[in-house]
Amino acid sequence: MAKAELGAKRRCLTCGAPFYDLNRMPIVCPKCAAAFQVVEIVRSAPKRAPLSRAAYARPTPVAPAIVDADLLKEQAEDDEMEDGEAPAI
Ligand SMILES: [Zn+2]
């Protein structure tokens, strides 16, 4: 019920970790600190979307978003510097 406060549920495009964005901008993955690019799903807009400057902007690390309960348990055990799930690329 309190999901409105948590913002939208996101899934990190880099490490795949699910988290809530807390309605913050920019959205930064709390697990790997990668910037989350919001992909707007526009089906009836054939015109090409210009790349926004935000796509290039380096987001400054802000307060971490809330991670899913499962991840919170994981992180509580091995902090956040463990990179066992780090992507190869
Ligand atoms: Zn991530």
Side-chain angles (χ1 to χ4, degrees), residues 33-87:
F36 181 89
Q37 299 298 336
V38 177
V39 179
E40 294 186 22
I41 301 175
V42 183
R43 297 185 183 182
S44 57
K47 56 190 172 189
R48 54 195 175 142
L51 289 175
S52 68
R53 284 181 179 273
Y56 297 105
R58 272 262 164 136
T60 50
V62 291
I66 291 181
V67 189
D68 256 17
D70 292 342
L71 285 169
L72 277 179
K73 259 199 293 185
E74 287 181 22
Q75 289 199 326
E77 290 171 5
D78 58 26
D79 228 336
E80 58 183 12
M81 295 312 293
E82 292 286 336
D83 57 357
E85 293 180 5

Side-chain angles (χ1 to χ4, degrees), residues 11-27:
R11 183 173 286 275
C12 177
L13 301 177
T14 302
C15 72
F19 62 94
Y20 292 97
D21 64 14
L22 300 180
N23 294 315
R24 289 177 186 274
M25 278 292 181
I27 301 170

